[in-house]
Amino acid sequence: MPWTLTGNSRGVNDSTLSQAIGALTFGLLDGRYTRKEVAPVAVMIGTSNSVPGETYWPHKVAAKRGWNLKNFSIGGGSLTGNGTASDFTAQLNVALADTSFSKADVKYFVVGDFGNDVRSDYNLTVKAPVLFNTIRTNYPNARIIVLPALWGQMSFNLEAYRIRSVTKRVEELTEAGRPYGVEIVPHVHLWHWDSAEWMLPNEVHYTTAGH
């Protein structure tokens, strides 16, 4: 037999329910009742090229993609900062302590970038898995996205061992991130390689145009 509306223990009869459903239906059709879209939360840690600010690329990307960005990046940031405030572990701890958003609601976790570790030729095989494991454990629904090295043609970056370091660090990050589903953005170090106007003169930092 077909389904019919029936009364209930609170005394709501068929007529009342029908009127309520009718009002809701017409409200949906004419736009009075609309679904509120909630912006996906994106958490970020990183270096001076990724700090908060409207002229910086994280803000621009978040605005374009409709993210609710929580950016904890600090200038001088690195994975191997050895307990300083700019250490990625310290930045992550600040993020973890932020109660303004639910960790379960975080859809993206971005690390940008490891350039300071690369320039120092620091091995990441020990600390990177710990970082990625902590992120995955606390933000189980997030895509973990890593930009290995935001680079440019400055004399400091052109030293042979630093160029080799880029390749080695990318390999280390890729291997460390594999068990945690980390997405390594490829060839980031080449994005600004041939465009001097995107980098400050003989500098590691982007110009406004570079962002």
Side-chain angles (χ1 to χ4, degrees):
M1 61 177 293
W3 289 98
T4 59
L5 293 173
T6 60
N8 58 46
S9 59
R10 295 182 181 179
V12 178
N13 57 35
D14 293 354
S15 176
T16 302
L17 286 172
S18 296
Q19 290 172 10
I21 292 172
L24 176 59
T25 300
F26 283 112
L28 290 171
L29 291 174
D30 67 13
R32 279 178 291 159
Y33 305 113
T34 58
R35 179 182 176 184
K36 183 179 180 181
E37 296 294 336
V38 179
V41 178
V43 175
M44 182 165 192
I45 58 176
T47 66
S48 53
N49 272 324
S50 305
V51 293
E54 292 187 3
T55 62
Y56 284 75
W57 70 266
H59 176 85
K60 294 178 180 179
V61 170
K64 186 172 183 177
R65 299 189 66 87
W67 292 351
N68 176 13
L69 179 64
K70 304 291 183 178
N71 191 348
F72 300 92
S73 301
I74 297 177
S78 70
L79 180 59
T80 52
N82 299 320
T84 63
S86 59
D87 186 309
F88 285 170
T89 300
Q91 293 182 35
L92 177 56
N93 286 338
V94 175
L96 291 173
D98 192 327
T99 58
S100 67
F101 59 95
S102 168
K103 295 178 178 62
D105 290 339
V106 175
K107 301 303 181 186
Y108 305 94
F109 195 106
V110 183
V111 185
D113 63 306
F114 291 83
N116 290 324
D117 299 291
V118 171
R119 274 182 285 276
S120 299
D121 200 19
Y122 287 141
N123 188 296
L124 306 179
T125 54
V126 175
K127 288 195 171 185
V130 176
L131 178 74
F132 295 148
N133 179 56
T134 304
I135 294 171
R136 173 56 65 219
T137 300
N138 288 279
Y139 303 99
N141 301 317
R143 288 176 58 187
I144 304 173
I145 302 171
V146 169
L147 287 73
L150 301 172
W151 216 242
Q153 287 194 50
M154 64 162 294
S155 58
F156 197 60
N157 283 346
L158 293 176
E159 296 179 26
Y161 83 91
R162 289 196 170 100
I163 294 176
R164 288 194 297 269
S165 180
V166 174
T167 302
K168 288 190 291 185
R169 302 298 80 84
V170 170
E171 290 175 352
E172 291 164 3
L173 291 169
T174 301
E175 187 64 26
R178 188 171 288 115
Y180 308 103
V182 175
E183 302 173 39
I184 307 293
V185 182
H187 311 306
V188 172
H189 60 287
L190 300 177
W191 285 357
H192 293 70
W193 188 254
D194 58 353
S195 300
E197 71 274 15
W198 291 344
M199 304 292 294
L200 294 171
N202 203 34
E203 253 269 28
V204 299
H205 299 109
Y206 291 161
T207 62
T208 300
H211 284 281

